[in-house]
Amino acid sequence: WEKVLSEDISHGLLYEMRGIVRNSGCSKETETIQQGRHWLADTSLHGPKQSNGMRLARARSLEDLVAAGFLSFGSQTGKSSSMWGGASLSLDELYAQADGLQVELNHKVREWSEAGNGLVALRSEVEEFDPSGSSSRLSSSDLTGDRKIHFVNLHNVMCDPNLRSRIKRSRLKRVDRAIEKLLRSYHRDVSRLVDIARHCIVFEDLRDLVQCLRVILKDPEVVVVRIKNRMDPGFDATSNAGYRDVCLNLRISTPYTSQFGIDAHLSELQLILKSFAELKHDHGHSRYVEFRNARGE
């Protein structure tokens, strides 16, 4: 962070970004809760002994859910009331929505990366599978020597088939971490989980990050609900163990998301400088997890 501040151009860009966030009306204090479509739990459609999770597991796509009558296009209102959500939303339903939205979020991130000169992370040739969740993790060898994660300009990657196959795709939030947040921070209120579908864009410098933020805010298919500007000079980074980024919660409204009733689902996008992203991958996240656990978050 001190290196970022030492650059002459940084101060002007940081205060420019503060003005962009202020003018957007999407302050970090904005309340953000999931207000997706209402997902039906009518046991008469599937048999009385099948749980929501069993039905979702059997459905291979959102089309299957619609055909089975599991998804209604009526609006969902109100907050959850039972352990993992009442009639309005459950954790199973939230993950099903996020799974459908992740595809469209990936497409959008590619568009924004191209417009904002973004970088993508390239994984090693062999990636270790993690059976405990929906994400994969890199083995320790990936973080040392020549196997270290590299961030490469998207334009260069798309011109090379080998590099394209090594792009580290964004995955849904691990289920165990989602449950952990519900118990530790959200009082079991599922509607407050707004980062199950998530992505990040990495930038070489601050100028590109600011440009990409402008592009996102002007996108007619996107509604940005909240922006946490952790790059603001006035932000106290001690609460994040020194980590900084610009974090957006947004909704994507396209023909695809509208058709499947996921246009109201909130996702998360992080805009992060390469220097911070490298620290995050190079064992930095594991240290942050220890910090987070010590705080009970």
Side-chain angles (χ1 to χ4, degrees):
W1 178 240
E2 291 179 354
K3 182 180 179 181
V4 172
L5 293 179
S6 68
E7 299 173 359
D8 294 336
I9 196 173
S10 293
H11 287 275
L13 289 171
L14 289 172
Y15 283 101
E16 178 184 350
M17 183 158 57
R18 174 186 285 182
I20 294 172
V21 173
R22 184 191 305 116
N23 293 335
S24 72
C26 307
S27 69
K28 65 179 181 179
E29 287 79 18
T30 304
E31 183 182 21
T32 52
I33 61 172
Q34 293 289 3
Q35 293 182 343
R37 305 300 184 184
H38 184 63
W39 293 65
L40 298 178
D42 185 353
T43 57
S44 65
L45 295 171
H46 307 275
K49 295 184 179 180
Q50 293 187 14
S51 68
N52 287 353
M54 290 172 63
R55 289 178 229 142
L56 289 171
R58 291 185 178 184
R60 297 182 179 275
S61 66
L62 285 175
E63 291 91 333
D64 292 341
L65 293 172
V66 175
F70 196 88
L71 174 61
S72 165
F73 292 96
S75 62
Q76 170 262 313
T77 58
K79 293 189 176 183
S80 56
S81 57
S82 64
M83 181 171 184
W84 303 126
S88 51
L89 200 64
S90 75
L91 191 59
D92 286 337
E93 294 159 355
L94 197 62
Y95 264 89
Q97 295 173 13
D99 189 48
L101 185 69
Q102 189 71 52
V103 176
E104 199 73 345
L105 180 60
N106 291 343
H107 291 161
K108 278 295 180 184
V109 165
R110 178 176 171 179
E111 290 180 13
W112 299 328
S113 296
E114 291 176 342
N117 204 29
L119 311 177
V120 294
L122 299 184
R123 58 176 172 78
S124 64
E125 297 290 350
V126 179
E127 194 171 71
E128 181 181 349
F129 175 69
D130 182 359
S132 63
S134 59
S135 64
S136 58
R137 55 191 169 93
L138 297 172
S139 61
S140 58
S141 62
D142 295 324
L143 299 172
T144 59
D146 295 334
R147 306 295 290 279
K148 184 176 180 179
I149 288 289
H150 294 283
F151 295 95
V152 182
N153 186 279
L154 178 62
H155 294 288
N156 298 334
V157 172
M158 298 311 295
C159 295
D160 188 328
N162 178 56
L163 292 180
R164 284 204 305 270
S165 67
R166 291 174 53 199
I167 294 177
K168 184 167 174 58
R169 310 291 179 181
S170 180
R171 310 293 180 95
L172 298 184
K173 179 185 259 339
R174 291 168 58 107
V175 175
D176 57 348
R177 173 55 185 156
I179 294 174
E180 190 175 73
K181 288 186 74 172
L182 286 173
L183 293 174
R184 290 180 175 181
S185 304
Y186 295 157
H187 306 289
R188 301 178 177 181
D189 184 354
V190 176
S191 69
R192 295 179 66 185
L193 283 172
V194 296
D195 61 346
I196 292 179
R198 72 268 180 85
H199 217 306
C200 75
I201 306 177
V202 179
F203 303 91
E204 190 74 49
D205 56 52
L206 194 56
R207 185 188 298 277
D208 290 337
L209 190 155
V210 174
Q211 171 61 21
C212 187
L213 178 60
R214 289 185 179 276
V215 169
I216 295 170
L217 289 172
K218 292 179 180 178
D219 192 321
E221 295 182 326
V222 169
V223 177
V224 177
V225 177
R226 179 174 65 181
I227 303 176
K228 293 182 179 179
N229 183 12
R230 301 185 182 112
M231 298 294 292
D232 190 289
F235 175 73
D236 182 8
T238 57
S239 60
N240 281 23
Y243 173 76
R244 290 179 182 266
D245 65 8
V246 178
C247 183
L248 296 82
N249 292 115
L250 48 86
R251 296 186 174 100
I252 300 176
S253 181
T254 63
Y256 170 84
T257 60
S258 297
Q259 178 184 2
F260 295 116
I262 52 177
D263 52 321
H265 186 91
L266 280 168
S267 60
E268 179 180 278
L269 176 66
Q270 297 176 353
L271 309 180
I272 178 173
L273 291 177
K274 179 182 175 182
S275 55
F276 281 92
E278 288 175 336
L279 289 172
K280 186 176 180 180
H281 281 277
D282 191 11
H283 299 297
H285 185 67
S286 60
R287 292 194 293 270
Y288 173 70
V289 170
E290 294 177 2
F291 172 82
R292 185 182 68 201
N293 289 340
R295 291 167 58 95
E297 298 176 344

CSV table of all heavy atoms in Angstrom, one decimal, residues 104 221 252-263:
chain,number,residue,atom,x,y,z
A,104,GLU,N,-23.2,-16.2,-16.5
A,104,GLU,CA,-23.3,-14.8,-17.0
A,104,GLU,C,-22.3,-13.9,-16.4
A,104,GLU,O,-21.8,-13.0,-17.1
A,104,GLU,CB,-24.8,-14.3,-16.8
A,104,GLU,CG,-25.2,-13.2,-17.6
A,104,GLU,CD,-25.4,-13.6,-19.1
A,104,GLU,OE1,-25.0,-14.7,-19.5
A,104,GLU,OE2,-26.0,-12.8,-19.8
A,221,GLU,N,-26.7,-3.4,-18.5
A,221,GLU,CA,-27.2,-4.6,-18.1
A,221,GLU,C,-26.9,-4.9,-16.6
A,221,GLU,O,-27.1,-6.0,-16.1
A,221,GLU,CB,-26.7,-5.8,-18.9
A,221,GLU,CG,-27.2,-5.7,-20.4
A,221,GLU,CD,-26.7,-6.8,-21.2
A,221,GLU,OE1,-25.6,-7.3,-21.0
A,221,GLU,OE2,-27.5,-7.2,-22.1
A,252,ILE,N,-27.2,-8.6,-12.4
A,252,ILE,CA,-27.0,-8.7,-13.9
A,252,ILE,C,-28.4,-9.0,-14.5
A,252,ILE,O,-29.0,-10.0,-14.2
A,252,ILE,CB,-26.0,-9.7,-14.3
A,252,ILE,CG1,-24.6,-9.4,-13.6
A,252,ILE,CG2,-25.9,-9.8,-15.8
A,252,ILE,CD1,-23.6,-10.5,-13.9
A,253,SER,N,-28.8,-8.0,-15.3
A,253,SER,CA,-30.1,-8.2,-16.0
A,253,SER,C,-29.9,-8.4,-17.5
A,253,SER,O,-29.7,-7.4,-18.2
A,253,SER,CB,-31.0,-7.0,-15.7
A,253,SER,OG,-32.3,-7.2,-16.3
A,254,THR,N,-29.9,-9.6,-18.0
A,254,THR,CA,-29.8,-9.9,-19.4
A,254,THR,C,-31.0,-10.8,-19.7
A,254,THR,O,-31.7,-11.3,-18.9
A,254,THR,CB,-28.5,-10.7,-19.6
A,254,THR,OG1,-28.5,-11.9,-18.9
A,254,THR,CG2,-27.3,-9.9,-19.2
A,255,PRO,N,-31.2,-11.1,-21.0
A,255,PRO,CA,-32.3,-12.0,-21.4
A,255,PRO,C,-32.1,-13.4,-20.7
A,255,PRO,O,-33.1,-14.0,-20.3
A,255,PRO,CB,-32.1,-12.1,-22.9
A,255,PRO,CG,-31.6,-10.8,-23.3
A,255,PRO,CD,-30.6,-10.4,-22.2
A,256,TYR,N,-30.9,-13.8,-20.6
A,256,TYR,CA,-30.6,-15.1,-19.9
A,256,TYR,C,-31.0,-15.1,-18.4
A,256,TYR,O,-31.8,-15.9,-18.0
A,256,TYR,CB,-29.1,-15.5,-20.0
A,256,TYR,CG,-28.7,-16.6,-19.2
A,256,TYR,CD1,-28.8,-17.9,-19.6
A,256,TYR,CD2,-28.1,-16.5,-17.9
A,256,TYR,CE1,-28.4,-19.0,-18.9
A,256,TYR,CE2,-27.7,-17.5,-17.1
A,256,TYR,CZ,-27.9,-18.8,-17.6
A,256,TYR,OH,-27.5,-19.9,-16.9
A,257,THR,N,-30.6,-14.1,-17.7
A,257,THR,CA,-30.9,-14.0,-16.2
A,257,THR,C,-32.4,-13.8,-16.0
A,257,THR,O,-33.0,-14.3,-15.1
A,257,THR,CB,-30.1,-12.9,-15.5
A,257,THR,OG1,-30.3,-11.7,-16.1
A,257,THR,CG2,-28.6,-13.2,-15.7
A,258,SER,N,-33.0,-13.0,-16.9
A,258,SER,CA,-34.4,-12.7,-16.8
A,258,SER,C,-35.3,-14.0,-17.0
A,258,SER,O,-36.2,-14.2,-16.4
A,258,SER,CB,-34.9,-11.6,-17.7
A,258,SER,OG,-34.2,-10.4,-17.4
A,259,GLN,N,-34.8,-14.7,-18.0
A,259,GLN,CA,-35.6,-15.9,-18.4
A,259,GLN,C,-35.6,-16.9,-17.3
A,259,GLN,O,-36.6,-17.6,-17.0
A,259,GLN,CB,-34.9,-16.6,-19.6
A,259,GLN,CG,-35.6,-17.9,-20.1
A,259,GLN,CD,-34.9,-18.6,-21.2
A,259,GLN,OE1,-33.8,-18.1,-21.7
A,259,GLN,NE2,-35.4,-19.7,-21.7
A,260,PHE,N,-34.5,-17.0,-16.5
A,260,PHE,CA,-34.4,-18.0,-15.4
A,260,PHE,C,-34.7,-17.4,-14.1
A,260,PHE,O,-34.4,-18.1,-13.0
A,260,PHE,CB,-33.1,-18.8,-15.5
A,260,PHE,CG,-33.0,-19.6,-16.8
A,260,PHE,CD1,-32.0,-19.3,-17.7
A,260,PHE,CD2,-33.8,-20.6,-17.0
A,260,PHE,CE1,-31.9,-20.0,-18.8
A,260,PHE,CE2,-33.7,-21.4,-18.2
A,260,PHE,CZ,-32.7,-21.1,-19.1
A,261,GLY,N,-35.1,-16.2,-14.0
A,261,GLY,CA,-35.5,-15.6,-12.7
A,261,GLY,C,-34.3,-15.4,-11.8
A,261,GLY,O,-34.5,-15.4,-10.6
A,262,ILE,N,-33.1,-15.1,-12.3
A,262,ILE,CA,-32.0,-14.9,-11.5
A,262,ILE,C,-31.4,-13.5,-11.7
A,262,ILE,O,-30.3,-13.2,-11.3
A,262,ILE,CB,-30.8,-15.9,-11.7
A,262,ILE,CG1,-30.5,-16.0,-13.2
A,262,ILE,CG2,-31.2,-17.3,-11.2
A,262,ILE,CD1,-29.4,-17.0,-13.5
A,263,ASP,N,-32.2,-12.6,-12.3
A,263,ASP,CA,-31.8,-11.2,-12.5
A,263,ASP,C,-31.7,-10.4,-11.3
A,263,ASP,O,-31.1,-9.3,-11.3
A,263,ASP,CB,-32.7,-10.5,-13.6
A,263,ASP,CG,-34.1,-10.7,-13.2
A,263,ASP,OD1,-34.6,-11.7,-12.8
A,263,ASP,OD2,-34.9,-9.7,-13.5
